Amino acid sequence: MTEPQETVETRGNDRVDLIAQDANGDGKPDVWVSDTDGDGKPDLFQFDTDGDGKVDITMVDLDEDGNPDQIVDGDGGHPPVV
């Protein structure tokens, strides 16, 4: 990902660092990368591929080897509140 990137804290009891990225230059974040286990490596990736504000694809890298172990297409969920 290219600049600018922004690290924010999400809501909840546990701290989760989230990087939000505007990948297509429209001024709205459309990629969210999270470190859900706190080891400093990203393991959850969410993408809004059509710009409607909803997550279209979720990828999870459970063993953090750089290859997604699970991909959910058409997830339709909402991105994290930032």
XYZ file of all heavy atoms in Angstrom:
614
model
N 0.834 -1.173 0.000
C 0.000 0.000 0.000
C 0.881 1.238 0.000
O 1.948 1.250 0.565
C -0.890 -0.005 1.230
C -2.040 -0.979 1.114
S -3.212 -0.810 2.461
C -2.653 -2.126 3.507
N 0.388 2.264 -0.618
C 1.140 3.502 -0.677
C 0.612 4.485 0.353
O -0.443 4.292 0.936
C 1.022 4.105 -2.084
O -0.346 4.357 -2.358
C 1.605 3.175 -3.135
N 1.335 5.558 0.554
C 0.912 6.606 1.484
C -0.330 7.296 0.935
O -0.558 7.305 -0.249
C 2.045 7.611 1.665
C 3.269 7.028 2.338
C 3.020 6.569 3.769
O 2.189 7.174 4.471
O 3.653 5.600 4.168
N -1.187 7.935 1.689
C -1.089 7.999 3.138
C -1.793 6.826 3.798
O -2.781 6.321 3.276
C -1.818 9.300 3.468
C -2.847 9.415 2.396
C -2.227 8.790 1.151
N -1.255 6.388 4.899
C -1.874 5.358 5.719
C -2.165 5.952 7.075
O -1.496 6.873 7.511
C -0.962 4.155 5.880
C -0.699 3.430 4.589
C 0.238 2.266 4.777
O 0.442 1.795 5.871
N 0.818 1.814 3.700
N -3.144 5.407 7.743
C -3.545 5.931 9.030
C -3.772 4.767 9.972
O -4.421 3.793 9.617
C -4.833 6.728 8.837
C -5.479 7.214 10.087
C -6.800 7.916 9.803
O -7.221 7.970 8.636
O -7.394 8.386 10.768
N -3.198 4.818 11.165
C -3.433 3.800 12.167
C -4.391 4.370 13.196
O -4.180 5.467 13.705
C -2.130 3.381 12.872
O -1.230 2.885 11.875
C -2.384 2.280 13.890
N -5.452 3.646 13.473
C -6.470 4.104 14.420
C -6.762 2.995 15.411
O -6.435 1.834 15.173
C -7.768 4.508 13.694
C -7.536 5.692 12.784
C -8.336 3.345 12.921
N -7.370 3.347 16.529
C -7.807 2.350 17.486
C -9.292 2.100 17.284
O -10.068 3.027 17.051
C -7.551 2.825 18.917
C -6.090 2.817 19.282
C -5.872 3.115 20.745
O -6.707 2.704 21.565
O -4.873 3.759 21.051
N -9.701 0.849 17.364
C -11.096 0.501 17.204
C -11.772 0.462 18.566
O -11.131 0.480 19.599
C -11.242 -0.865 16.511
O -10.547 -1.838 17.281
C -10.660 -0.825 15.120
N -13.080 0.379 18.558
C -13.849 0.326 19.799
C -13.791 -1.060 20.410
O -13.530 -2.038 19.738
C -15.304 0.684 19.525
C -15.469 2.101 19.054
C -16.917 2.410 18.828
N -17.056 3.764 18.336
C -18.194 4.313 18.046
N -19.307 3.643 18.179
N -18.241 5.539 17.605
N -14.077 -1.141 21.714
C -14.112 -2.433 22.396
C -13.129 -2.468 23.543
O -12.385 -1.511 23.788
N -13.106 -3.576 24.245
C -12.233 -3.720 25.401
C -10.799 -4.021 25.015
O -9.873 -3.679 25.733
C -12.753 -4.822 26.328
C -14.093 -4.454 26.928
O -14.393 -3.275 27.105
N -14.894 -5.452 27.226
N -10.597 -4.700 23.911
C -9.257 -5.069 23.469
C -8.744 -4.062 22.451
O -9.488 -3.580 21.608
C -9.255 -6.463 22.833
C -9.662 -7.542 23.807
O -9.313 -7.417 24.995
O -10.338 -8.495 23.386
N -7.456 -3.754 22.541
C -6.840 -2.847 21.577
C -6.555 -3.616 20.298
O -5.928 -4.675 20.313
C -5.548 -2.282 22.142
C -4.825 -1.380 21.166
C -3.468 -0.971 21.707
N -2.673 -0.408 20.664
C -2.555 0.890 20.426
N -3.180 1.738 21.185
N -1.792 1.320 19.443
N -7.021 -3.077 19.190
C -6.735 -3.639 17.878
C -6.263 -2.501 17.002
O -6.988 -1.536 16.788
C -7.988 -4.309 17.264
C -7.686 -4.813 15.868
C -8.499 -5.436 18.129
N -5.022 -2.563 16.545
C -4.528 -1.542 15.623
C -5.069 -1.836 14.233
O -5.050 -2.972 13.769
C -3.002 -1.534 15.582
C -2.406 -0.936 16.838
O -3.038 -0.027 17.407
O -1.338 -1.372 17.252
N -5.549 -0.802 13.592
C -6.180 -0.925 12.289
C -5.526 0.075 11.354
O -5.375 1.239 11.701
C -7.675 -0.631 12.429
C -8.493 -0.546 11.160
C -8.718 -1.946 10.607
C -9.824 0.128 11.448
N -5.129 -0.377 10.180
C -4.626 0.531 9.160
C -5.722 0.690 8.120
O -6.196 -0.297 7.543
C -3.340 -0.001 8.501
C -2.221 -0.091 9.533
C -2.927 0.899 7.346
C -0.951 -0.688 8.992
N -6.157 1.921 7.914
C -7.171 2.222 6.906
C -6.471 2.875 5.726
O -5.646 3.766 5.906
C -8.234 3.156 7.483
N -6.811 2.451 4.521
C -6.123 2.922 3.319
C -7.128 3.286 2.237
O -8.096 2.556 2.013
C -5.194 1.820 2.812
C -4.533 2.100 1.490
C -3.482 3.175 1.582
O -2.817 3.294 2.595
N -3.324 3.973 0.561
N -6.900 4.403 1.581
C -7.666 4.785 0.399
C -6.907 4.275 -0.816
O -5.984 4.924 -1.295
C -7.831 6.298 0.351
C -8.548 6.775 -0.900
O -9.087 5.931 -1.643
O -8.562 7.986 -1.136
N -7.281 3.107 -1.293
C -6.524 2.455 -2.365
C -6.852 3.005 -3.749
O -6.039 2.908 -4.657
C -6.773 0.947 -2.345
N -8.035 3.598 -3.937
C -8.398 4.062 -5.273
C -8.418 5.583 -5.405
O -8.797 6.105 -6.436
C -9.744 3.473 -5.694
C -10.874 3.898 -4.788
O -10.688 4.695 -3.877
N -12.056 3.351 -5.016
N -8.023 6.310 -4.344
C -7.880 7.758 -4.434
C -9.165 8.545 -4.445
O -9.167 9.712 -4.847
N -10.269 7.963 -3.966
C -11.536 8.691 -3.966
C -11.786 9.459 -2.668
O -12.839 10.043 -2.476
C -12.703 7.754 -4.251
C -12.951 6.729 -3.150
O -12.169 6.677 -2.179
O -13.931 5.975 -3.276
N -10.820 9.447 -1.752
C -10.954 10.181 -0.504
C -11.616 9.412 0.617
O -11.771 9.928 1.715
N -12.033 8.165 0.358
C -12.664 7.339 1.379
C -11.832 6.071 1.573
O -11.343 5.497 0.595
C -14.082 6.932 0.944
C -15.015 8.112 0.729
C -16.415 7.652 0.390
C -16.462 7.063 -1.000
N -17.807 6.743 -1.477
N -11.675 5.621 2.828
C -10.939 4.367 3.031
C -11.699 3.195 2.423
O -12.923 3.142 2.490
C -10.826 4.243 4.547
C -11.820 5.178 5.113
C -12.130 6.200 4.071
N -10.969 2.275 1.803
C -11.606 1.098 1.226
C -10.843 -0.186 1.502
O -11.242 -1.250 1.054
C -11.840 1.266 -0.273
C -10.693 1.949 -0.981
O -9.540 1.719 -0.593
O -10.958 2.708 -1.906
N -9.743 -0.097 2.237
C -9.005 -1.278 2.677
C -8.728 -1.109 4.164
O -8.263 -0.061 4.596
C -7.666 -1.438 1.919
C -6.898 -2.648 2.438
C -7.887 -1.552 0.420
N -9.031 -2.151 4.951
C -8.784 -2.133 6.378
C -7.958 -3.356 6.729
O -8.327 -4.483 6.405
C -10.098 -2.153 7.159
C -10.953 -0.969 6.850
C -10.942 0.232 7.492
C -11.930 -0.842 5.816
N -11.844 1.085 6.915
C -12.465 0.452 5.878
C -12.396 -1.711 4.810
C -13.447 0.915 5.011
C -13.374 -1.251 3.958
C -13.883 0.041 4.055
N -6.812 -3.136 7.357
C -5.906 -4.216 7.734
C -5.787 -4.194 9.252
O -5.509 -3.153 9.841
C -4.514 -4.030 7.089
C -3.591 -5.173 7.478
C -4.634 -3.925 5.569
N -6.022 -5.347 9.893
C -6.044 -5.412 11.350
C -5.083 -6.467 11.870
O -4.905 -7.519 11.270
C -7.448 -5.776 11.854
O -8.417 -4.930 11.319
N -4.491 -6.164 13.012
C -3.717 -7.140 13.788
C -4.610 -7.535 14.959
O -4.672 -6.835 15.959
C -2.412 -6.525 14.275
C -1.660 -7.414 15.244
O -1.973 -8.622 15.319
O -0.772 -6.910 15.940
N -5.309 -8.646 14.841
C -6.306 -9.006 15.846
C -5.723 -9.719 17.053
O -6.381 -9.800 18.085
C -7.408 -9.896 15.229
O -6.819 -11.088 14.728
C -8.125 -9.171 14.113
N -4.492 -10.231 16.950
C -3.925 -10.958 18.087
C -2.782 -10.213 18.766
O -2.174 -10.712 19.709
C -3.491 -12.360 17.695
C -2.482 -12.375 16.561
O -1.974 -11.292 16.186
O -2.201 -13.465 16.046
N -2.459 -9.006 18.310
C -1.497 -8.151 18.985
C -0.039 -8.534 18.833
O 0.805 -8.056 19.577
N 0.296 -9.351 17.837
C 1.692 -9.750 17.668
C 2.458 -8.856 16.689
O 3.610 -9.108 16.391
C 1.783 -11.204 17.235
C 1.250 -11.443 15.832
O 0.679 -10.508 15.229
O 1.397 -12.567 15.343
N 1.815 -7.816 16.186
C 2.480 -6.897 15.272
C 2.401 -7.293 13.815
O 2.939 -6.597 12.959
N 1.735 -8.398 13.497
C 1.579 -8.841 12.115
C 0.106 -8.769 11.730
O -0.757 -9.188 12.488
C 2.052 -10.291 11.956
C 3.511 -10.501 12.259
C 3.852 -11.964 12.124
C 5.286 -12.255 12.514
N 5.568 -13.690 12.461
N -0.201 -8.259 10.530
C -1.602 -8.196 10.115
C -2.152 -9.591 9.849
O -1.450 -10.462 9.336
C -1.555 -7.372 8.825
C -0.167 -7.514 8.331
C 0.706 -7.711 9.526
N -3.397 -9.812 10.238
C -4.005 -11.113 9.987
C -5.454 -11.042 9.514
O -6.045 -12.053 9.201
C -3.904 -12.014 11.230
C -4.241 -11.290 12.511
O -5.134 -10.425 12.492
O -3.615 -11.582 13.531
N -6.024 -9.844 9.436
C -7.386 -9.677 8.941
C -7.389 -8.532 7.935
O -6.903 -7.441 8.225
C -8.347 -9.367 10.087
C -9.786 -9.048 9.703
C -10.464 -10.276 9.088
C -10.567 -8.565 10.910
N -7.906 -8.796 6.743
C -7.940 -7.810 5.669
C -9.373 -7.688 5.175
O -10.016 -8.696 4.893
C -7.056 -8.254 4.502
C -5.640 -8.572 4.909
C -5.305 -9.819 5.411
C -4.649 -7.617 4.793
C -4.005 -10.118 5.787
C -3.342 -7.904 5.162
C -3.021 -9.152 5.667
N -9.884 -6.459 5.077
C -11.234 -6.225 4.574
C -11.156 -5.214 3.444
O -10.408 -4.239 3.522
C -12.144 -5.706 5.689
C -12.349 -6.730 6.797
C -13.203 -6.186 7.911
O -12.861 -5.186 8.514
N -14.312 -6.839 8.176
N -11.950 -5.439 2.399
C -11.907 -4.600 1.206
C -13.313 -4.171 0.801
O -14.225 -4.999 0.756
C -11.301 -5.377 0.020
C -9.922 -5.904 0.284
C -9.744 -7.151 0.861
C -8.804 -5.157 -0.043
C -8.474 -7.647 1.101
C -7.524 -5.649 0.195
C -7.367 -6.895 0.769
N -13.482 -2.890 0.509
C -14.695 -2.363 -0.113
C -14.346 -2.132 -1.571
O -13.754 -1.115 -1.921
C -15.117 -1.062 0.564
C -16.298 -0.391 -0.120
O -16.924 -1.006 -1.002
O -16.584 0.768 0.228
N -14.670 -3.080 -2.421
C -14.221 -3.028 -3.816
C -15.095 -2.160 -4.708
O -14.664 -1.782 -5.791
C -14.147 -4.452 -4.407
O -15.427 -5.066 -4.296
C -13.104 -5.283 -3.668
N -16.315 -1.833 -4.278
C -17.189 -1.042 -5.140
C -17.527 0.339 -4.573
O -18.323 1.064 -5.147
C -18.473 -1.804 -5.470
C -19.255 -2.207 -4.236
O -18.917 -1.759 -3.121
O -20.228 -2.974 -4.388
N -16.940 0.718 -3.432
C -17.102 2.060 -2.891
C -18.440 2.359 -2.256
O -18.774 3.520 -2.046
N -19.198 1.321 -1.897
C -20.511 1.555 -1.295
C -20.470 1.661 0.228
O -21.498 1.814 0.872
C -21.497 0.476 -1.709
C -21.154 -0.904 -1.167
O -20.091 -1.070 -0.527
O -21.959 -1.830 -1.381
N -19.278 1.575 0.821
C -19.154 1.687 2.268
C -19.330 0.383 3.009
O -19.303 0.356 4.228
N -19.519 -0.719 2.287
C -19.654 -2.033 2.906
C -18.504 -2.936 2.476
O -17.984 -2.803 1.373
C -20.982 -2.687 2.515
C -22.180 -1.948 3.035
C -23.450 -2.671 2.679
C -24.664 -1.942 3.212
N -25.910 -2.639 2.845
N -18.137 -3.846 3.352
C -17.057 -4.782 3.054
C -17.543 -5.803 2.025
O -18.573 -6.442 2.216
C -16.582 -5.491 4.340
C -15.567 -6.566 4.006
C -15.994 -4.491 5.318
N -16.790 -5.940 0.935
C -17.138 -6.900 -0.111
C -16.326 -8.184 -0.002
O -16.811 -9.247 -0.367
C -16.912 -6.282 -1.489
C -17.785 -5.059 -1.694
O -19.007 -5.175 -1.546
O -17.233 -3.982 -1.960
N -15.098 -8.095 0.457
C -14.238 -9.270 0.582
C -13.513 -9.194 1.922
O -12.989 -8.153 2.297
C -13.198 -9.344 -0.551
C -13.888 -9.447 -1.913
C -12.255 -10.527 -0.359
C -12.957 -9.339 -3.098
N -13.498 -10.300 2.649
C -12.734 -10.414 3.885
C -11.738 -11.549 3.710
O -12.111 -12.635 3.274
C -13.651 -10.714 5.091
O -14.554 -9.628 5.250
C -12.849 -10.893 6.365
N -10.468 -11.275 4.032
C -9.429 -12.300 3.960
C -8.803 -12.446 5.342
O -8.522 -11.458 6.010
C -8.352 -11.923 2.950
C -8.889 -11.812 1.549
S -7.701 -11.417 0.213
C -6.199 -11.023 0.979
N -8.593 -13.695 5.760
C -7.986 -13.979 7.050
C -6.742 -14.821 6.824
O -6.787 -15.835 6.136
C -8.976 -14.729 7.974
C -8.350 -14.987 9.320
C -10.272 -13.959 8.126
N -5.627 -14.356 7.394
C -4.362 -15.099 7.325
C -4.088 -15.641 8.727
O -3.419 -15.014 9.535
C -3.239 -14.184 6.864
C -1.917 -14.905 6.698
O -1.881 -16.147 6.843
O -0.908 -14.230 6.440
N -4.627 -16.812 9.034
C -4.581 -17.356 10.393
C -3.175 -17.701 10.843
O -2.815 -17.471 11.994
C -5.478 -18.590 10.498
C -6.962 -18.328 10.240
C -7.731 -19.638 10.188
C -7.528 -17.410 11.309
N -2.351 -18.256 9.939
C -0.994 -18.633 10.339
C 0.037 -17.554 9.997
O 1.227 -17.730 10.224
C -0.586 -19.967 9.723
C -0.703 -19.968 8.205
O -0.954 -18.889 7.607
O -0.552 -21.051 7.627
N -0.432 -16.418 9.462
C 0.388 -15.249 9.166
C 1.605 -15.573 8.311
O 2.702 -15.080 8.540
C 0.780 -14.539 10.460
C -0.428 -13.993 11.178
C -0.130 -13.411 12.537
O 0.967 -13.612 13.068
O -1.018 -12.733 13.064
N 1.370 -16.411 7.293
C 2.449 -16.746 6.364
C 2.401 -15.888 5.100
O 3.183 -16.090 4.187
C 2.389 -18.229 5.997
C 1.136 -18.600 5.227
O 0.231 -17.752 5.055
O 1.048 -19.769 4.796
N 1.482 -14.928 5.054
C 1.359 -14.053 3.894
C 0.345 -14.528 2.881
O 0.054 -13.819 1.924
N -0.204 -15.726 3.060
C -1.236 -16.252 2.164
C -2.547 -16.379 2.932
O -2.566 -16.971 4.009
C -0.832 -17.629 1.630
C 0.403 -17.563 0.777
O 0.520 -16.707 -0.080
N 1.346 -18.452 1.028
N -3.640 -15.839 2.396
C -4.917 -15.931 3.100
C -5.355 -17.381 3.255
O -5.265 -18.170 2.320
C -5.889 -15.179 2.208
C -5.096 -14.541 1.145
C -3.739 -15.126 1.137
N -5.800 -17.726 4.458
C -6.308 -19.076 4.713
C -7.806 -19.156 4.478
O -8.341 -20.230 4.246
C -6.003 -19.485 6.167
C -4.511 -19.468 6.442
O -3.778 -20.162 5.720
O -4.089 -18.749 7.351
N -8.469 -18.018 4.564
C -9.911 -17.992 4.369
C -10.286 -16.707 3.656
O -9.835 -15.625 4.028
C -10.638 -18.070 5.707
C -12.136 -18.094 5.595
C -12.793 -18.211 6.967
O -12.123 -18.141 7.986
N -14.082 -18.390 6.985
N -11.084 -16.811 2.601
C -11.576 -15.647 1.880
C -13.092 -15.742 1.827
O -13.642 -16.777 1.442
C -11.014 -15.577 0.444
C -9.495 -15.473 0.480
C -11.611 -14.397 -0.310
C -8.838 -15.496 -0.873
N -13.759 -14.679 2.266
C -15.208 -14.630 2.226
C -15.584 -13.579 1.204
O -15.338 -12.389 1.403
C -15.787 -14.272 3.607
C -17.314 -14.232 3.547
C -15.314 -15.262 4.659
N -16.164 -13.994 0.097
C -16.565 -13.069 -0.956
C -18.010 -12.657 -0.713
O -18.837 -13.463 -0.317
C -16.421 -13.742 -2.311
C -16.574 -12.760 -3.461
O -16.556 -11.555 -3.208
O -16.702 -13.222 -4.601
N -18.299 -11.385 -0.945
C -19.659 -10.919 -0.768
C -20.064 -10.860 0.687
O -21.228 -11.022 1.024
N -19.117 -10.615 1.579
C -19.355 -10.577 3.018
C -20.479 -9.613 3.385
O -21.330 -9.924 4.199
C -18.044 -10.193 3.717
C -18.129 -10.150 5.213
O -19.070 -10.717 5.801
O -17.246 -9.527 5.817
N -20.474 -8.415 2.782
C -21.538 -7.450 3.022
C -21.511 -6.806 4.389
O -22.407 -6.046 4.724
N -20.513 -7.101 5.191
C -20.427 -6.500 6.520
C -19.992 -5.057 6.449
O -19.652 -4.532 5.396
N -20.015 -4.404 7.580
C -19.586 -3.017 7.646
C -18.141 -2.960 8.108
O -17.725 -3.750 8.953
C -20.480 -2.228 8.589
C -21.882 -2.080 8.061
N -22.208 -1.178 7.090
C -23.009 -2.758 8.343
C -23.485 -1.286 6.799
N -23.993 -2.242 7.552
N -17.352 -2.022 7.603
C -15.970 -1.882 8.056
C -15.941 -1.436 9.512
O -16.941 -0.938 10.022
C -15.403 -0.814 7.135
C -16.583 -0.074 6.622
C -17.710 -1.043 6.582
N -14.802 -1.602 10.169
C -14.696 -1.178 11.559
C -14.990 0.311 11.718
O -14.698 1.113 10.837
C -13.245 -1.474 11.909
C -12.795 -2.442 10.893
C -13.594 -2.182 9.669
N -15.581 0.690 12.818
C -15.863 2.086 13.105
C -14.561 2.760 13.484
O -13.857 2.310 14.378
C -16.890 2.213 14.245
C -17.116 3.670 14.580
C -18.191 1.533 13.870
N -14.212 3.806 12.764
C -12.962 4.525 13.044
C -13.244 5.956 13.413
O -14.247 6.500 13.151
C -11.993 4.468 11.849
C -11.496 3.087 11.642
C -12.629 5.001 10.589
